[in-house]
Amino acid sequence: MISNTRTPSTRTFVDTVTYRPGAVILYPGKSDMLYRVANGLVRVHTMDDDGNGLTLRYVKPGEYFGEEALAGVNRAYFAEAVTDSSIDVINPALMSAEDNLHVTTHLVRTLERAYESIYRLVGKRLRARIAGELLELKDTALATQLDSGETMIYATHDELAAAVGSVRETVTKVVGELSREGVISAGYGKITLKNEAALADIAAA
């Protein structure tokens, strides 16, 4: 069994690079290196023909992106630092068989999460999608624990809209509804989870 805490051997590392929030780490195009988040949070996203952003997934510490380099195919997305982030750059050509197995295990988990996200997008109402996204962000660098024990998430309505496949105006309406119900409280660029059990019920509906 591969340990969840294991990473590719030190000899595979090319460098560790730090990025400020909003910095673009990868653009669509040729792939040659594999990337692992050491600290922070990375957003993988794409654009539609109208220039609207769509979040494909968030990459948390210990997780990888740029996996196209393993197959030598081109990348079709952007990767952007959401918070201050440290990124390990890994040379796939130097990875051992055990390293490759570890990364493959990660890819399987990533695919499972992608399936769940697709199901939320096509099979759930917007209200459930927003609740599910807030719970997903709870365990990222965008979240902080308040003295009250509640979790506050730093996210704008635009960012939520990009993550759930909607537009800001509609997301703002649903966030307002959830706030009036006491499930969350919303301020400028931040959302506090007031009742996570109720939020989980909404996400599962």
Side-chain angles (χ1 to χ4, degrees):
M1 177 177 290
I2 303 296
S3 169
N4 290 337
T5 59
R6 188 189 174 281
T7 61
S9 54
T10 303
R11 69 185 182 86
T12 68
F13 290 154
V14 175
D15 198 1
T16 297
V17 185
T18 58
Y19 294 91
R20 298 289 293 169
V24 177
I25 302 169
L26 295 178
Y27 290 87
K30 183 180 179 182
S31 303
D32 51 8
M33 294 293 174
L34 177 68
Y35 301 85
R36 175 182 175 272
V37 178
N39 293 289
L41 185 68
V42 170
R43 182 171 76 104
V44 172
H45 65 98
T46 188
M47 296 280 187
D48 63 20
D49 293 339
D50 296 322
N52 300 312
L54 177 63
T55 299
L56 301 176
R57 65 184 173 109
Y58 286 101
V59 191
K60 305 174 186 178
E63 298 180 346
Y64 300 85
F65 60 102
E67 299 94 342
E68 298 79 16
L70 299 173
V73 298
N74 284 347
R75 189 169 45 246
Y77 58 79
F78 298 86
E80 173 185 325
V82 179
T83 64
D84 288 320
S85 302
S86 297
I87 309 298
D88 294 329
V89 184
I90 300 169
N91 187 344
L94 300 179
M95 290 170 58
S96 67
E98 188 177 4
D99 292 335
N100 278 293
L101 180 57
H102 174 76
V103 174
T104 299
T105 302
H106 155 76
L107 286 173
V108 170
R109 296 194 185 106
T110 299
L111 191 58
E112 289 174 347
R113 285 169 53 191
Y115 289 154
E116 292 171 359
S117 296
I118 292 169
Y119 174 68
R120 277 206 306 268
L121 283 173
V122 302
K124 298 277 188 176
R125 295 174 56 197
L126 181 60
R127 179 181 169 91
R129 302 202 309 264
I130 290 174
E133 184 66 18
L134 290 173
L135 291 172
E136 178 78 15
L137 293 175
K138 177 179 178 290
D139 297 318
T140 71
L142 289 176
T144 187
Q145 197 80 8
L146 302 177
D147 291 339
S148 63
E150 297 168 337
T151 300
M152 183 172 71
I153 297 169
Y154 293 94
T156 67
H157 293 184
D158 281 322
E159 290 165 341
L160 276 179
V164 299
S166 186
V167 295
R168 178 178 56 80
E169 293 79 7
T170 309
V171 166
T172 296
K173 178 182 177 182
V174 174
V175 167
E177 292 173 356
L178 294 174
S179 296
R180 288 191 293 274
E181 294 169 14
V183 179
I184 62 174
S185 65
Y188 182 73
K190 56 188 179 184
I191 295 174
T192 301
L193 310 187
K194 308 293 289 185
N195 188 335
E196 292 185 24
L199 205 60
D201 288 341
I202 293 169

